[in-house]
Amino acid sequence: MYCIHIDCNSYFASCEIATRPELKGRPVVVANTNEHGGGVILALDTTAKKLGLKRGMPLFKVRDLLQENDVAICPADHKKYRRISRQIMQEVVNQGVVQDFVQYSIDEFFGTLPLDDPDRVAHHVRNVKQLIADTSGIPVGCGCAATYTLAKCATWFAKHYAGYNGVCVMPPTKRERALAVMPIGEVWGVGRQLRPRLERMGVSTALDFAQLPRQVVEKTFTSAGLHTYLELQGTPAVTLENRERRKSIMQSRTFEVMIKERDELSRKVAHFAARCAASLRHEKSLCRSVTVFVATNRYRNDLAQYANDATAKLPSPTADSPTIIHTAEALLDTLFRPGYQYKRAGVVLGNIVADAGQQLDLFDHDRNERRRKLMSVTDMLNDRFGDETVTFGGS
DNA sequence: TCTGGGGTCCTAGGACCC
DNA sequence: TCTGGGGTCCTAGGACCC
């Protein structure tokens, strides 16, 4: 059996190119722009990458480069990206070749192929890649190997060596040769902190890590590190989380202009809370906790800094907008300190459970029933006429 | 002038219980 | 007043991911 990993290339940029033919021929970046021209680059197509642009670059730092090269700057359209992602998911499931197909993130998928012959695996995976290209226009890289981590390694090869044409199958016999040329920092689970630690131990490739004595790994790293280590050796140790129901829902923004007034910040927080609540209902979930956080601009050494958060437990699971908005506003009141300039704030809903539809609060049945109907009508109007058609007083 | 917005998991340590 | 060993649950913060 093989694990398969599918990773969309430059996903946000590819979505824009696939849906806007007029962008053909121009370098494309996707950025979360605002009317002041702020924001950072979230995704780039290959030609934009060749210009030296990188993910995370603030637009204002590369303004000239963008203009000189006629780079198309697309505002991020997350709804579109989610829609195309669902479409890819559906097409691959319908095709029926890949088993246990799960969405790992907006642009990555995992699954299994109940085959042992690497050539047959490669044949099927090329078909999957073609199917995705034909139905959504999104180019993908595909990797297959004995474990999920190795499959992700294979995808790295598929993307970094042109000869693979986007599909790399790594049979057990080729595992060591492949890992010997893969930098340790490229391995799934090795981030900014772990990499220097490993390098100090003399580990510079994925193979170096896989060949450490197990006791050393157990003593030095956490369970996550051990899982990565085992998977690199070809022993499955990672199980894929069922991502159908999120465990938390967040809305937050960095403000274009810093906010000093409590009322203005309160309106922002109410708005975040309302959007979180709408997402929650959209997923047929309820939450049992609300968190609010605020922060000043950490890049401004000349200003006083303050960051804080607060969480409230709700008496019973709910997706009721007024309840969530009022709770968030009350939390903000405990957090707000006058005299600071706030640059960022957000709302997080946590302890999320399925909305089984049962009425939990027996004492107030009629009122709650009316509230639920009110929520479903506002959601319906917003679905049909746009996100902000009907909002609640606080927001 | 202008610096993202989401998520997940793990661990340590405190509170509390017997 | 002093003291131990075993357990659970919760939270904060770190690390990682896209």
Side-chain angles (χ1 to χ4, degrees):
Chain A
M1 197 204 49
Y2 275 81
C3 292
I4 177 172
H5 174 242
I6 299 175
D7 192 333
C8 301
N9 300 346
S10 313
Y11 184 59
F12 292 179
S14 296
C15 286
E16 295 301 335
I17 293 165
T19 54
R20 295 172 57 188
E22 73 274 15
L23 295 174
K24 272 257 153 45
R26 294 176 67 188
V28 172
V29 305
V30 175
N32 55 337
T33 51
N34 60 45
E35 59 265 41
H36 293 69
V40 301
I41 295 175
L42 301 175
L44 327 76
D45 79 329
T46 11
T47 51
K49 279 175 192 162
K50 282 182 187 148
L51 296 173
L53 296 166
K54 290 201 162 49
R55 210 181 129 86
M57 280 182 172
L59 289 180
F60 74 89
K61 282 194 176 170
V62 290
R63 187 64 66 194
D64 292 344
L65 193 59
L66 294 169
Q67 270 173 11
E68 283 159 19
N69 295 280
D70 188 35
V71 178
I73 304 170
C74 305
D77 181 351
H78 294 278
K79 265 193 173 170
K80 182 196 285 183
Y81 310 147
R82 274 194 297 272
R83 175 173 56 75
I84 294 174
S85 184
R86 276 197 302 271
Q87 184 190 336
I88 293 172
M89 180 82 201
Q90 204 52 58
E91 291 290 349
V92 174
V93 168
N94 290 347
Q95 189 198 30
V97 171
V98 181
Q99 310 292 303
D100 314 311
F101 199 54
V102 295
Q103 182 142 24
Y104 171 71
S105 72
I106 193 155
D107 69 337
E108 279 185 68
F109 308 86
F110 282 107
T112 60
L113 286 165
L115 300 166
D116 289 321
D117 174 27
D119 292 333
R120 288 190 63 204
V121 170
H123 170 75
H124 282 297
V125 174
R126 276 194 283 272
N127 286 342
V128 173
K129 178 175 159 62
Q130 192 60 46
L131 172 79
I132 296 171
D134 291 345
T135 54
S136 67
I138 304 296
V140 299
C142 303
C144 296
T147 64
Y148 292 122
T149 303
L150 287 173
K152 267 193 85 133
C153 294
T155 303
W156 183 83
F157 282 99
K159 289 192 176 199
H160 283 78
Y161 293 82
Y164 285 115
N165 287 316
V167 174
C168 172
V169 178
M170 185 201 291
T173 50
K174 294 189 180 162
R175 182 184 65 86
E176 292 202 359
R177 249 187 300 162
L179 296 189
V181 296
M182 185 166 186
I184 186 63
E186 300 293 334
V187 172
W188 190 28
V190 179
R192 277 193 313 280
Q193 308 291 320
L194 215 48
R195 185 178 143 192
R197 281 179 61 198
L198 283 162
E199 285 174 347
R200 277 197 296 276
M201 296 169 69
V203 170
S204 65
T205 68
L207 185 62
D208 292 338
F209 185 40
Q211 289 181 337
L212 287 176
R214 178 167 177 154
Q215 305 92 288
V216 171
V217 175
E218 284 178 349
K219 224 169 60 185
T220 316
F221 304 103
T222 62
S223 62
L226 179 64
H227 289 161
T228 300
Y229 168 80
L230 292 171
E231 289 242 323
L232 286 177
Q233 295 180 336
T235 307
V238 169
T239 50
L240 291 176
E241 181 73 12
N242 173 12
R243 306 240 162 180
E244 277 168 24
R245 193 175 305 282
R246 285 186 281 177
K247 296 180 173 174
S248 65
I249 292 176
M250 171 158 80
Q251 278 284 318
S252 72
R253 281 294 176 279
T254 298
F255 306 127
E256 295 140 29
V257 179
M258 288 185 279
I259 294 176
K260 288 184 204 158
E261 301 304 321
R262 181 192 300 248
D263 283 356
E264 192 183 352
L265 196 56
S266 186
R267 280 196 296 277
K268 295 282 187 192
V269 164
H271 182 239
F272 298 147
R275 294 192 41 160
C276 282
S279 299
L280 191 62
R281 291 193 296 275
H282 194 250
E283 298 180 8
K284 303 206 180 337
S285 298
L286 305 173
C287 73
R288 260 184 314 204
S289 76
V290 179
T291 300
V292 173
F293 64 87
V294 297
T296 51
N297 188 344
R298 66 181 193 278
Y299 297 101
R300 292 287 297 269
N301 301 325
D302 55 322
L303 297 177
Q305 297 287 319
Y306 171 63
N308 206 351
D309 63 74
T311 299
K313 288 256 185 286
L314 299 166
S316 60
T318 186
D320 179 66
S321 284
T323 303
I324 291 169
I325 292 169
H326 290 148
T327 305
E329 287 177 322
L331 286 169
L332 179 68
D333 281 339
T334 71
L335 291 174
F336 186 85
R337 303 276 181 278
Y340 291 102
Q341 304 197 48
Y342 295 90
K343 180 66 176 171
R344 218 166 96 76
V347 172
V348 186
L349 306 184
N351 294 89
I352 287 174
V353 295
D355 182 359
Q358 78 260 38
Q359 195 58 56
L360 293 167
D361 189 347
L362 300 172
F363 300 102
D364 223 348
H365 179 85
D366 287 345
R367 189 177 131 265
N368 285 328
E369 220 21 65
R370 290 205 305 277
R371 287 286 266 272
R372 289 168 83 94
K373 283 180 184 158
L374 174 64
M375 293 300 107
S376 85
V377 170
T378 59
D379 288 341
M380 187 266 286
L381 289 170
N382 288 334
D383 276 349
R384 190 176 299 175
F385 300 109
D387 268 347
E388 308 286 314
T389 304
V390 185
T391 59
F392 290 87
S395 60

